[in-house]
Amino acid sequence: MKRIGVLTGGGDCPGLNAVIRAVTKAAINEYGLEVLGFQDGFKGLVTNNYVNLNLKSVSGIGHTGGTILGSSNRDDPFRFLTMVDGKQTYTDQSDRAIENLRNLDIDALIVIGGDGSLHIAQKFYNKGVNVVAVPKTIDNDLGATDVTFGFNTAVDTASEAIDRLHTTAESHHRVMILEVMGRYAGWISLHAGISGGADVILIPEIPYRLECVIQKIQQRYEQDKKFSIIVIAEGAVEKGGEMVIQRMDHTSHDPIRLGGIGNKLAQDIENASNIETRVTVLGHLQRGGSPIPYDRIISSRYGVAAVHAVMAGKFGSMVSLTGSNIITVPILEAIKELRKVDPEGEMVGTARALGMSFGDCL
Ligand code: F6P
């Protein structure tokens, strides 16, 4: 093992630079390896676009947001946008990527990514590439790990937003809706809702009923609480309804972009009652900015553990936080199915015990 590659794939999230830094430092300090960073996710692998990473280039980036390597959630080497006879079409460029790795004498590749990127990583592993993965996403929806890095920073941002909405909601006696990200899982909504003391938490795993949401707001009104805070996951659904899609991005391997359920709920509340309602869509603020200390630490642990996994020959695996230990698990386990909130689980139970409603009139 002399030279390794690293790339950051999919949507960015806080902590990417801390992982790049940890991978590079551990590889150089502990094993004297060379490290190449591919640019803009898997795209750099196909186009052979890379930079040398050394102790100097990763110095001072552990606390910064984004990724110094760039990322992309649309470039899949197995379905790569290519010009053929002057026309744009999708072709399989995975062999070209593997050839690039071979020509660069790269012995192993560390893929820092979420669900989509890890599906691609697994395909490369199946084709013989020595891959180790690091679980990234603010959505916290990967299996086989207790947490993905970036999630806790997103929760921190959403929780602060709830704090800010509280004061203005109270002043104006309004209902304030905060729409947060998370795709098909309600982790950000649930954690931020508990942390920020939301009155209603809406998540994809528990379809809500409008009358139950309004009932909760009215109950509070009767208790002289003339405002309410609702945190809603972008993937939340009304019972019998469908997820609200903001747009389709067909250049991406996951074309669905969720968004808009907060505005729909506000409209529905105002139509069904005379409760004044406002909406804040937190959007990419949840992905930007510096990682909180928790994510800096877990990212550092993941990065170092990924290098150890490479040196131990544990290819096709992902580093994972299980309990308080970092272990390795098969990538296949992590991507088998999306990890979702358990509607009967302890976290939901905690929120209910605190008097929070999931819009289901229990
Ligand atoms: O997976 C991370 C995530 O931020 C989701 O929470 C969100 O649905 C999606 O990415 C947004 O993607 P884009 O950056 O393409 O708008």
PDB file of all heavy atoms in Angstrom, residues 7 18 27 33 35 51 62 104 117 124 135 153 157 178 182 186 239 267:
ATOM      1  N   LEU A   7     -12.284  10.744  -2.234  1.00  0.00           N
ATOM      2  CA  LEU A   7     -13.220  11.672  -2.888  1.00  0.00           C
ATOM      3  C   LEU A   7     -14.435  11.895  -2.006  1.00  0.00           C
ATOM      4  O   LEU A   7     -14.761  11.068  -1.147  1.00  0.00           O
ATOM      5  CB  LEU A   7     -13.635  11.165  -4.275  1.00  0.00           C
ATOM      6  CG  LEU A   7     -14.430   9.862  -4.404  1.00  0.00           C
ATOM      7  CD1 LEU A   7     -15.924  10.094  -4.193  1.00  0.00           C
ATOM      8  CD2 LEU A   7     -14.213   9.275  -5.806  1.00  0.00           C
ATOM      9  N   ALA A  18     -13.001  17.874   7.594  1.00  0.00           N
ATOM     10  CA  ALA A  18     -12.372  17.216   8.752  1.00  0.00           C
ATOM     11  C   ALA A  18     -12.028  15.767   8.417  1.00  0.00           C
ATOM     12  O   ALA A  18     -11.004  15.235   8.880  1.00  0.00           O
ATOM     13  CB  ALA A  18     -13.305  17.291   9.966  1.00  0.00           C
ATOM     14  N   ALA A  27      -2.816   8.872   6.954  1.00  0.00           N
ATOM     15  CA  ALA A  27      -2.115   8.139   5.892  1.00  0.00           C
ATOM     16  C   ALA A  27      -0.625   8.518   5.862  1.00  0.00           C
ATOM     17  O   ALA A  27       0.245   7.657   5.720  1.00  0.00           O
ATOM     18  CB  ALA A  27      -2.764   8.441   4.545  1.00  0.00           C
ATOM     19  N   LEU A  33       2.021   7.089   3.475  1.00  0.00           N
ATOM     20  CA  LEU A  33       1.369   6.926   2.170  1.00  0.00           C
ATOM     21  C   LEU A  33       1.309   8.248   1.415  1.00  0.00           C
ATOM     22  O   LEU A  33       1.427   9.320   2.011  1.00  0.00           O
ATOM     23  CB  LEU A  33      -0.071   6.412   2.359  1.00  0.00           C
ATOM     24  CG  LEU A  33      -0.286   5.116   3.129  1.00  0.00           C
ATOM     25  CD1 LEU A  33      -1.773   4.826   3.260  1.00  0.00           C
ATOM     26  CD2 LEU A  33       0.418   3.961   2.441  1.00  0.00           C
ATOM     27  N   VAL A  35      -1.331  10.604  -0.822  1.00  0.00           N
ATOM     28  CA  VAL A  35      -2.789  10.738  -0.909  1.00  0.00           C
ATOM     29  C   VAL A  35      -3.155  11.651  -2.088  1.00  0.00           C
ATOM     30  O   VAL A  35      -2.661  12.771  -2.195  1.00  0.00           O
ATOM     31  CB  VAL A  35      -3.368  11.334   0.401  1.00  0.00           C
ATOM     32  CG1 VAL A  35      -4.893  11.313   0.361  1.00  0.00           C
ATOM     33  CG2 VAL A  35      -2.860  10.575   1.632  1.00  0.00           C
ATOM     34  N   VAL A  51      -5.905  16.254  -7.094  1.00  0.00           N
ATOM     35  CA  VAL A  51      -4.835  17.069  -6.502  1.00  0.00           C
ATOM     36  C   VAL A  51      -4.072  16.210  -5.502  1.00  0.00           C
ATOM     37  O   VAL A  51      -4.624  15.244  -4.961  1.00  0.00           O
ATOM     38  CB  VAL A  51      -5.396  18.310  -5.747  1.00  0.00           C
ATOM     39  CG1 VAL A  51      -5.911  19.359  -6.704  1.00  0.00           C
ATOM     40  CG2 VAL A  51      -6.454  17.922  -4.723  1.00  0.00           C
ATOM     41  N   GLY A  62     -10.028  21.634   9.364  1.00  0.00           N
ATOM     42  CA  GLY A  62     -10.907  20.754  10.158  1.00  0.00           C
ATOM     43  C   GLY A  62     -12.194  21.408  10.625  1.00  0.00           C
ATOM     44  O   GLY A  62     -13.209  20.750  10.808  1.00  0.00           O
ATOM     45  N   LEU A 104      -2.640   5.690 -12.120  1.00  0.00           N
ATOM     46  CA  LEU A 104      -2.100   6.536 -11.040  1.00  0.00           C
ATOM     47  C   LEU A 104      -1.505   5.693  -9.908  1.00  0.00           C
ATOM     48  O   LEU A 104      -1.065   6.232  -8.892  1.00  0.00           O
ATOM     49  CB  LEU A 104      -3.210   7.430 -10.466  1.00  0.00           C
ATOM     50  CG  LEU A 104      -3.697   8.580 -11.350  1.00  0.00           C
ATOM     51  CD1 LEU A 104      -4.991   9.175 -10.812  1.00  0.00           C
ATOM     52  CD2 LEU A 104      -2.621   9.654 -11.461  1.00  0.00           C
ATOM     53  N   SER A 117     -23.763   7.750  -3.187  1.00  0.00           N
ATOM     54  CA  SER A 117     -22.323   7.547  -3.426  1.00  0.00           C
ATOM     55  C   SER A 117     -21.884   6.154  -2.987  1.00  0.00           C
ATOM     56  O   SER A 117     -20.986   5.560  -3.586  1.00  0.00           O
ATOM     57  CB  SER A 117     -21.500   8.591  -2.666  1.00  0.00           C
ATOM     58  OG  SER A 117     -21.894   9.874  -3.045  1.00  0.00           O
ATOM     59  N   PHE A 124     -18.072  -0.237  -7.642  1.00  0.00           N
ATOM     60  CA  PHE A 124     -16.631  -0.261  -7.929  1.00  0.00           C
ATOM     61  C   PHE A 124     -15.954  -1.412  -7.185  1.00  0.00           C
ATOM     62  O   PHE A 124     -15.067  -2.080  -7.720  1.00  0.00           O
ATOM     63  CB  PHE A 124     -15.976   1.077  -7.555  1.00  0.00           C
ATOM     64  CG  PHE A 124     -16.064   2.102  -8.662  1.00  0.00           C
ATOM     65  CD1 PHE A 124     -16.770   3.282  -8.487  1.00  0.00           C
ATOM     66  CD2 PHE A 124     -15.434   1.876  -9.880  1.00  0.00           C
ATOM     67  CE1 PHE A 124     -16.856   4.222  -9.512  1.00  0.00           C
ATOM     68  CE2 PHE A 124     -15.513   2.816 -10.911  1.00  0.00           C
ATOM     69  CZ  PHE A 124     -16.228   3.976 -10.727  1.00  0.00           C
ATOM     70  N   PRO A 135     -19.360   7.224   6.241  1.00  0.00           N
ATOM     71  CA  PRO A 135     -20.786   7.593   6.167  1.00  0.00           C
ATOM     72  C   PRO A 135     -21.042   9.083   6.371  1.00  0.00           C
ATOM     73  O   PRO A 135     -20.877   9.622   7.458  1.00  0.00           O
ATOM     74  CB  PRO A 135     -21.424   6.788   7.305  1.00  0.00           C
ATOM     75  CG  PRO A 135     -20.327   6.613   8.303  1.00  0.00           C
ATOM     76  CD  PRO A 135     -19.036   6.594   7.532  1.00  0.00           C
ATOM     77  N   THR A 153     -24.651  18.699  13.131  1.00  0.00           N
ATOM     78  CA  THR A 153     -24.532  20.127  12.805  1.00  0.00           C
ATOM     79  C   THR A 153     -25.844  20.637  12.213  1.00  0.00           C
ATOM     80  O   THR A 153     -26.306  21.742  12.538  1.00  0.00           O
ATOM     81  CB  THR A 153     -23.363  20.379  11.836  1.00  0.00           C
ATOM     82  OG1 THR A 153     -22.163  19.912  12.444  1.00  0.00           O
ATOM     83  CG2 THR A 153     -23.217  21.857  11.497  1.00  0.00           C
ATOM     84  N   THR A 157     -28.239  23.640  13.643  1.00  0.00           N
ATOM     85  CA  THR A 157     -28.742  24.779  12.854  1.00  0.00           C
ATOM     86  C   THR A 157     -30.267  24.854  12.937  1.00  0.00           C
ATOM     87  O   THR A 157     -30.842  25.933  13.140  1.00  0.00           O
ATOM     88  CB  THR A 157     -28.303  24.621  11.381  1.00  0.00           C
ATOM     89  OG1 THR A 157     -26.883  24.515  11.343  1.00  0.00           O
ATOM     90  CG2 THR A 157     -28.743  25.795  10.536  1.00  0.00           C
ATOM     91  N   LEU A 178     -41.466  25.415  10.486  1.00  0.00           N
ATOM     92  CA  LEU A 178     -40.085  25.325   9.997  1.00  0.00           C
ATOM     93  C   LEU A 178     -39.951  24.038   9.188  1.00  0.00           C
ATOM     94  O   LEU A 178     -40.133  22.945   9.732  1.00  0.00           O
ATOM     95  CB  LEU A 178     -39.087  25.304  11.165  1.00  0.00           C
ATOM     96  CG  LEU A 178     -37.617  25.169  10.738  1.00  0.00           C
ATOM     97  CD1 LEU A 178     -37.125  26.443  10.057  1.00  0.00           C
ATOM     98  CD2 LEU A 178     -36.716  24.828  11.919  1.00  0.00           C
ATOM     99  N   GLY A 182     -33.919  16.210   5.046  1.00  0.00           N
ATOM    100  CA  GLY A 182     -33.891  14.845   5.592  1.00  0.00           C
ATOM    101  C   GLY A 182     -34.344  13.782   4.616  1.00  0.00           C
ATOM    102  O   GLY A 182     -34.391  12.605   4.967  1.00  0.00           O
ATOM    103  N   GLY A 186     -37.097  11.256   9.026  1.00  0.00           N
ATOM    104  CA  GLY A 186     -37.461  12.401   9.857  1.00  0.00           C
ATOM    105  C   GLY A 186     -36.478  12.740  10.957  1.00  0.00           C
ATOM    106  O   GLY A 186     -36.820  13.439  11.921  1.00  0.00           O
ATOM    107  N   LYS A 239     -51.772  12.061   5.972  1.00  0.00           N
ATOM    108  CA  LYS A 239     -52.349  10.717   5.851  1.00  0.00           C
ATOM    109  C   LYS A 239     -53.183  10.632   4.565  1.00  0.00           C
ATOM    110  O   LYS A 239     -54.035  11.490   4.318  1.00  0.00           O
ATOM    111  CB  LYS A 239     -53.218  10.430   7.076  1.00  0.00           C
ATOM    112  CG  LYS A 239     -53.407   8.968   7.295  1.00  0.00           C
ATOM    113  CD  LYS A 239     -53.945   8.650   8.668  1.00  0.00           C
ATOM    114  CE  LYS A 239     -53.993   7.140   8.744  1.00  0.00           C
ATOM    115  NZ  LYS A 239     -54.284   6.641  10.011  1.00  0.00           N
ATOM    116  N   GLN A 267     -50.971  26.687   4.227  1.00  0.00           N
ATOM    117  CA  GLN A 267     -52.184  26.993   3.467  1.00  0.00           C
ATOM    118  C   GLN A 267     -53.377  26.220   4.030  1.00  0.00           C
ATOM    119  O   GLN A 267     -54.457  26.791   4.245  1.00  0.00           O
ATOM    120  CB  GLN A 267     -51.944  26.581   2.001  1.00  0.00           C
ATOM    121  CG  GLN A 267     -52.846  27.263   0.995  1.00  0.00           C
ATOM    122  CD  GLN A 267     -52.516  28.737   0.889  1.00  0.00           C
ATOM    123  OE1 GLN A 267     -51.443  29.083   0.464  1.00  0.00           O
ATOM    124  NE2 GLN A 267     -53.428  29.581   1.318  1.00  0.00           N
TER     125      GLN A 267
END
